Amino acid sequence: MKKKDQICGMDVETNKAKTKKLIFVQNKNKYYFCSKHCMDTFIHGKTEPAKKNKVGSAETILLKIGGMTCASCVKTIEKSLRNLKGVSQANVNFASETAKVDYNPKELSQIDLENTIKDLGYNTTKTEELGILKLKIIGMDNPHCVGIINSALNKLKGISSKELLVTEKATINYDPSLINSERILKQIKDVGYEPIEESNDLIDREKEARKREIDSLKIKVLISIILSIPLLYFATAPHINFPLPNLSSFSFAILQFILTTPIIIAGYQIYTRGFSAVIKTKTANMDTLIAIGTGVAYLYSILVMIFIYLGKYSHNDLYFEVAGLLITFILLGRYLEAVVKGKTSESIKKLMGLQAKTAIVIRNKNEIVVNINDVRVGDIVLVKPGQKIPVDGIIIEGYSSVDESMISGESIPVEKNKGSKVIGSTINKTGSFKFRAEKIGKDTVLSQIIKLVEEAQGSKAPIQKLADVISSYFVPTVVLLAILSSLTWFLLGNGFAFSLTIFVAVLIIACPCALGLATPTAIMVGTGKGAEQGILYKNAESLQIAGEIETIIFDKTGTLTKGKPEVTDIYTVKESYKKDILKYAAIAEKNSEHPLSESILNETKKMKISIPSPDNFDSITGKGVVAEYDKKEILLGNRSLFASKKINITFIEEKLKEYEEQGKTAMILSLNKNVLGIIAVADTIKDYSKETIQILQKHNKEVIMITGDNKRTGNAIAKKLGIDKVLAEVLPKDKANEIKKLQKQGKKVAMVGDGINDAPALTQADVGIAIGSGTDIAIEAGGIILIKEDLRDVVTAIKLSKYTMKKIKQNLFWAFFYNSVGIPLAAGALYPFTGWLLSPVIAGAAMAFSSVSVVSNSLLMKGWKSSK
């Protein structure tokens, strides 16, 4: 392999700074790698090196295709494009006659893509760059609303893909040659929602929009309540023998009309949203039910008022108060809902509030204050005492102490000097320093955390599927029930007025909003609560499954132990070998990334031994290392390594067992197949590891430790921790298989590991829990990420999961119970037996209360605390 070959998606020679310091020396050439796995892959050739077109190198192009006649054309073109080296994704849209292709321009060009399509017999030209619209859609905060907007956007030609989340976030990809952003925004507005384009001041604009919505609702509610008081009196007075105004029937009708009409106007959005959803997108929503129910009552009353003027009806046939009071209750419910729903996403707002707004950048030897969005990778940034560090980077000059409590949870400031990593939005305490910006914008640790929380809040838990299915069929079913109920009573001879009451009551009492809000509000608060405690759930599914876990597997090194072992013993076969054994071991390990190598190198530093680099180096996964220096072959590793090389080690077997029974890792060293001795290294157990194990076992969780170490070492560590079951001598690639075996037994398994070396196991587990900190947070492979290296957070993550699921089940129960009881009552189920009929006014109040109660129940989670 030549020196400029691609490894891990990065050019070896030109991008050394972007790789981790993992080096393999071969024939005096140095190769740089981003992970141990990639280095082993390169050395042993077990799998192909990673493709270059990873995140950051791919570009997106939109091609216009002519000549497609059917769906098979789409498949043919997609398959041909995807088979091209350098193409990571290709999607062909038959309706818009376009192909969206993600490709690496270093491996192939636009012309290559066009020629591939032309060779298949189609015409192609490049369109404008693909349009991407990132929005905050005010009001899109439950699955039902997501469905309405999704249906509306499906009516537009030119939208290639879209992602709509109940957190009011939306990402829409579109073809600018077919549609523009203004048309998309108008479509969303037409179905009654307010879209805000993302920009630097999104948080402020969103806050203003939310405030405008609440202020507007407050004014409407106040006006409606004032006008509704006399309407409420008119509705109840005859039943409690209170006098009505001494007016003629027509004058009384006019008075009610004057009081009701402003209320109807105040609730105009209910009608525009309700009817436009049906007219423009052929979908119905909760507003449709309300609009039909109150609209029928209002228009019927106007018709009665005309007949009163003609002397054919009396004021007793009016339903103005029903329409007016219903709209008032609904507006009041929505006002309260808007206030409490704003609190479910407070965790995100708090995280966003941590971000710095400006940075001091050194340009042309001058200090310039720039907007945080204008900082570029490679910029030299100055940070003064008391300032927030604007982005992630590495200190190049100066020293200070930094408060990293927002990331680590530790209140004690961390000392920083040249070469130290700093994290954006943490607070500089004492000194000044300069650092080179390494990660900006969406790549910073805080941005990654915010993204993870937002994605988790917008994802769907498996338990939500039932609510989604029911909600999709709910509105048309309710309309049908309302018609059938009112028609049945009318045919039974109860008159039109009675049947109308039934019709309106059924429409109003049915509330899919409570059903739609039950799961997402609890998920939002639960994931936000987790983020406050340093626990990031990547999705709602992980949040749900965590509470169902029966078996928890802990990786040993770096998870249960600190992963920073120290040399405890040096045993030599001959006294004369004593001065050489540590030196040759250090030479062999100098280019290794294994934690054990660090302990040997640290020992040589203490003894001030100068260590040259090996001429050749080979890491053998699960066995050890082979190196060459000064024409001598150095072997350093376990029994398996020496067995594979057919070197006899029986004469040191007793010493090996002695170290292993003490929980130490024993490494054998040989020079030119001549065994020199043993270096024993011991790892220390992390704080709270034993406490965490005890708590989990107390809660009847099966705890297993998995390690690549031999059985004696593994059992020794497990004994100290109180773990009964140990899976030892397991290679990284086999960890996932061990999890599969447990899953085949019907167990729900969680894997707790460092998130990089344990990636396959974390992915295989029902839920992977990655222990991560600092800048590694963005690349962890688990479904749950623990920012702090406190293993007690494993227990907290499980407890929070159970508590969140408890709240979701409570919400779903009350939403189902409310509709199950409310709809039959509104349909007059008790009327034949008791003569009692549910008033549409009471139905409206109950409907408003149901949504508020579900959200309020979720908000009670904000007071949850985990005892460690």
Side-chain angles (χ1 to χ4, degrees):
M1 183 173 278
K2 295 179 181 179
K3 194 176 180 184
K4 283 197 176 184
D5 276 351
Q6 296 287 333
I7 301 174
C8 314
M10 292 173 281
D11 188 278
V12 175
E13 189 173 86
T14 60
N15 288 315
K16 292 178 184 177
K18 294 181 181 178
T19 66
K20 291 187 176 181
K21 295 180 180 179
L22 279 71
I23 309 168
F24 167 56
V25 180
Q26 187 178 59
N27 299 326
K28 296 185 179 180
N29 286 335
K30 291 185 178 180
Y31 298 88
Y32 294 78
F33 300 84
C34 69
S35 75
K36 178 72 163 58
H37 171 74
C38 290
M39 182 163 68
D40 288 341
T41 298
F42 171 66
I43 294 168
H44 303 295
K46 293 174 183 176
T47 57
E48 290 297 318
K51 285 185 178 181
K52 288 182 285 183
N53 55 322
K54 295 293 182 184
V55 175
S57 62
E59 288 186 3
T60 299
I61 191 173
L62 201 66
L63 298 170
K64 193 77 176 174
I65 301 175
M68 291 191 295
T69 58
C70 63
S72 64
C73 298
V74 172
K75 293 295 180 186
T76 302
I77 297 170
E78 283 183 343
K79 185 177 180 181
S80 298
L81 290 173
R82 288 170 183 171
N83 286 337
L84 292 174
K85 185 181 179 183
V87 172
S88 56
Q89 186 60 268
N91 292 300
V92 178
N93 189 311
F94 179 58
S96 62
E97 297 184 317
T98 57
K100 176 191 172 188
V101 186
D102 296 336
Y103 74 104
N104 188 339
K106 291 181 181 179
E107 293 196 29
L108 77 169
S109 67
Q110 175 197 328
I111 295 173
D112 295 326
L113 298 172
E114 292 177 353
N115 287 339
T116 299
I117 296 171
K118 287 176 182 176
D119 289 343
L120 296 171
Y122 303 95
N123 300 318
T124 179
T125 55
K126 180 175 179 273
T127 71
E128 298 176 52
E129 291 298 320
L130 186 68
I132 300 176
L133 195 59
K134 290 182 179 273
L135 302 173
K136 179 80 175 181
I137 302 178
I138 303 300
M140 188 181 71
D141 47 24
N142 63 74
H144 198 70
C145 293
V146 169
I148 291 165
I149 295 171
N150 185 60
S151 297
L153 294 176
N154 284 340
K155 306 293 179 184
L156 300 177
K157 185 178 180 181
I159 293 179
S160 56
S161 65
K162 55 189 176 299
E163 182 182 35
L164 307 174
L165 305 175
V166 293
T167 51
E168 301 182 329
K169 290 275 189 179
T171 301
I172 301 167
N173 295 312
Y174 64 95
D175 179 355
S177 67
L178 298 174
I179 193 171
N180 56 35
S181 59
E182 287 76 16
R183 181 67 188 90
I184 296 171
L185 295 174
K186 184 178 183 300
Q187 185 79 346
I188 296 170
K189 288 176 183 175
D190 284 345
V191 289
Y193 298 87
E194 183 179 354
I196 302 172
E197 287 192 65
E198 277 196 3
S199 63
N200 298 340
D201 60 342
L202 174 63
I203 300 171
D204 294 332
R205 290 172 64 200
E206 180 193 339
K207 186 178 178 181
E208 288 173 10
R210 185 76 65 189
K211 186 176 183 299
R212 282 199 307 271
E213 180 191 25
I214 292 173
D215 289 346
S216 174
L217 280 170
K218 185 189 289 185
I219 293 169
K220 290 175 182 176
V221 168
L222 286 173
I223 292 171
S224 298
I225 288 175
I226 292 170
L227 295 174
S228 292
I229 292 172
L231 287 174
L232 181 62
Y233 178 81
F234 299 155
T236 56
H239 302 289
I240 55 177
N241 295 320
F242 274 38
L244 288 172
N246 188 18
L247 298 170
S248 67
S249 289
F250 182 69
S251 298
F252 190 52
I254 290 294
L255 175 60
Q256 289 195 54
F257 173 77
I258 292 170
L259 291 170
T260 304
T261 302
I263 300 175
I264 298 295
I265 294 170
Y268 78 94
Q269 281 188 325
I270 294 170
Y271 299 95
T272 56
R273 286 183 180 182
F275 291 123
S276 65
V278 175
I279 296 167
K280 296 183 179 181
T281 67
K282 303 297 185 292
T283 58
N285 56 27
M286 188 57 209
D287 285 326
T288 308
L289 297 182
I290 299 167
I292 293 172
T294 58
V296 167
Y298 181 72
L299 293 174
Y300 173 75
S301 297
I302 291 176
L303 187 63
V304 169
M305 185 172 66
I306 294 170
F307 281 109
I308 289 174
Y309 179 74
L310 298 174
K312 294 183 178 181
Y313 280 86
S314 72
H315 64 267
N316 293 322
D317 297 306
L318 293 169
Y319 280 86
F320 280 124
E321 74 276 6
V322 170
L325 289 171
L326 279 175
I327 295 297
T328 299
F329 280 125
I330 289 159
L331 289 174
L332 176 62
R334 293 197 172 172
Y335 168 71
L336 295 173
E337 195 177 312
V339 172
V340 294
K341 273 198 302 194
K343 295 178 181 178
T344 60
S345 58
E346 279 183 355
S347 57
I348 288 286
K349 292 174 183 174
K350 286 178 182 176
L351 288 170
M352 288 179 168
L354 294 173
Q355 293 175 318
K357 298 291 188 294
T358 59
I360 302 173
V361 178
I362 310 297
R363 289 178 182 165
N364 298 322
K365 297 182 180 180
N366 294 320
E367 296 179 11
I368 304 171
V369 178
V370 300
N371 187 287
I372 188 69
N373 297 292
D374 294 328
V375 178
R376 298 288 175 260
V377 172
D379 275 346
I380 305 303
V381 183
L382 173 66
V383 184
K384 297 178 181 180
Q387 290 184 338
K388 281 185 180 179
I389 297 170
V391 294
D392 299 359
I394 297 175
I395 294 178
I396 60 170
E397 181 185 318
Y399 59 90
S400 183
S401 60
V402 176
D403 179 359
E404 294 186 342
S405 57
M406 57 155 283
I407 295 294
S408 65
E410 296 294 333
S411 57
I412 301 172
V414 181
E415 295 300 318
K416 301 284 184 178
N417 47 43
K418 187 177 179 180
S420 298
K421 292 180 180 179
V422 289
I423 302 171
S425 303
T426 56
I427 301 171
N428 181 33
K429 301 295 285 185
T430 53
S432 296
F433 60 85
K434 294 177 183 177
F435 73 93
R436 183 186 299 105
E438 295 286 325
K439 292 183 179 179
I440 62 172
K442 62 182 177 58
D443 296 322
T444 63
V445 172
L446 183 62
S447 294
Q448 290 290 331
I449 291 173
I450 291 171
K451 182 184 177 184
L452 285 172
V453 176
E454 283 184 332
E455 287 177 350
Q457 290 186 343
S459 62
K460 292 183 180 180
I463 197 173
Q464 192 176 332
K465 292 177 182 177
L466 176 64
D468 286 351
V469 171
I470 292 173
S471 185
S472 65
Y473 293 104
F474 194 85
V475 174
T477 302
V478 168
V479 173
L480 183 62
L481 285 173
I483 294 170
L484 289 175
S485 299
S486 61
L487 188 61
T488 301
W489 285 110
F490 182 76
L491 294 175
L492 289 173
N494 287 274
F496 180 76
F498 183 89
S499 300
L500 178 65
T501 302
I502 293 288
F503 178 74
V504 175
V506 171
L507 289 178
I508 299 304
I509 194 73
C511 181
C513 290
L515 195 60
L517 290 168
T519 300
T521 53
I523 293 292
M524 288 177 74
V525 180
T527 51
K529 196 70 186 174
E532 289 176 12
Q533 307 216 9
I535 300 167
L536 301 180
Y537 297 92
K538 277 192 173 180
N539 49 57
E541 185 175 2
S542 296
L543 177 62
Q544 176 174 334
I545 294 174
E548 302 169 1
I549 291 300
E550 302 162 295
T551 301
I552 303 174
I553 300 178
F554 286 90
D555 175 54
K556 180 179 78 70
T557 307
T559 303
L560 290 171
T561 63
K562 291 182 179 178
K564 294 182 179 179
E566 295 180 353
V567 174
T568 57
D569 302 88
I570 299 177
Y571 169 77
T572 55
V573 174
K574 294 181 181 179
E575 186 66 27
S576 58
Y577 295 159
K578 198 164 188 177
K579 63 178 181 179
D580 292 328
I581 189 168
L582 192 61
K583 175 186 174 182
Y584 282 112
I587 292 171
E589 292 283 18
K590 188 170 184 180
N591 293 331
S592 173
E593 69 152 353
H594 198 280
L596 298 179
S597 67
E598 190 177 344
S599 64
I600 292 172
L601 293 171
N602 287 338
E603 191 68 18
T604 60
K605 287 177 184 177
K606 290 179 188 175
M607 300 177 69
K608 297 182 179 178
I609 299 173
S610 178
I611 304 299
S613 296
D615 298 322
N616 281 303
F617 169 81
D618 190 357
S619 172
I620 303 174
T621 303
K623 294 182 179 180
V625 296
V626 179
E628 186 181 321
Y629 172 71
D630 196 22
K631 297 182 180 180
K632 298 184 181 78
E633 184 187 56
I634 306 169
L635 299 181
L636 181 66
N638 56 24
R639 290 181 183 83
S640 298
L641 176 64
F642 283 79
S644 67
K645 298 291 183 178
K646 296 181 181 179
I647 299 174
N648 180 32
I649 58 168
T650 54
F651 60 97
I652 58 169
E653 187 61 39
E654 287 301 316
K655 201 66 182 177
L656 286 172
K657 289 179 181 178
E658 179 187 327
Y659 289 140
E660 288 165 357
E661 285 169 359
Q662 294 170 4
K664 298 173 183 177
T665 299
M667 294 177 285
I668 310 160
L669 179 79
S670 73
L671 192 65
N672 287 336
K673 297 188 177 181
N674 180 31
V675 176
L676 303 188
I678 305 168
I679 296 178
V681 174
D683 198 356
T684 53
I685 293 172
K686 273 187 180 179
D687 296 337
Y688 310 121
S689 289
K690 189 173 183 178
E691 181 184 340
T692 300
I693 303 302
Q694 289 174 340
I695 295 170
L696 290 170
Q697 290 172 337
K698 185 180 177 183
H699 287 87
N700 299 316
K701 305 293 182 186
E702 180 186 21
V703 179
I704 300 173
M705 186 179 83
I706 193 166
T707 177
D709 280 343
N710 59 74
K711 291 180 180 178
R712 288 193 184 91
T713 303
N715 287 330
I717 296 293
K719 188 176 181 181
K720 291 179 183 178
L721 292 166
I723 298 175
D724 298 323
K725 188 173 181 180
V726 179
L727 301 173
E729 299 176 14
V730 181
L731 296 176
K733 64 178 182 178
D734 295 326
K735 289 182 179 179
N737 291 330
E738 293 295 335
I739 291 172
K740 282 182 186 177
K741 291 176 186 176
L742 292 166
Q743 289 171 328
K744 284 179 181 178
Q745 297 171 23
K747 296 178 180 179
K748 284 283 181 73
V749 183
M751 170 71 190
V752 185
D754 61 53
I756 300 172
N757 295 332
D758 299 317
L762 287 164
T763 305
Q764 177 60 42
D766 292 282
V767 61
I769 303 176
I771 307 291
S773 62
T775 52
D776 285 336
I777 193 71
I779 58 172
E780 293 292 358
I784 300 173
I785 299 169
L786 309 182
I787 300 175
K788 300 175 285 182
E789 296 203 32
D790 186 340
L791 276 183
R792 293 177 298 177
D793 284 341
V794 173
V795 179
T796 305
I798 293 171
K799 285 183 177 178
L800 182 56
S801 166
K802 287 185 174 181
Y803 182 71
T804 304
M805 292 310 300
K806 178 184 173 183
K807 283 294 180 183
I808 288 173
K809 288 172 183 175
Q810 287 175 357
N811 288 347
L812 288 173
F813 170 79
W814 286 113
F816 280 120
F817 176 81
Y818 167 80
N819 284 297
S820 299
V821 174
I823 292 175
L825 289 178
L830 295 180
Y831 184 75
F833 311 104
T834 64
W836 180 79
L837 186 65
L838 182 67
S839 165
V841 175
I842 297 173
M847 186 218 72
F849 174 76
S850 66
S851 293
V852 175
S853 63
V854 164
V855 179
S856 299
N857 188 44
S858 295
L859 284 175
L860 291 175
M861 295 171 63
K862 294 174 76 67
W864 181 83
K865 291 181 181 179
S866 174
S867 55
K868 288 186 178 177

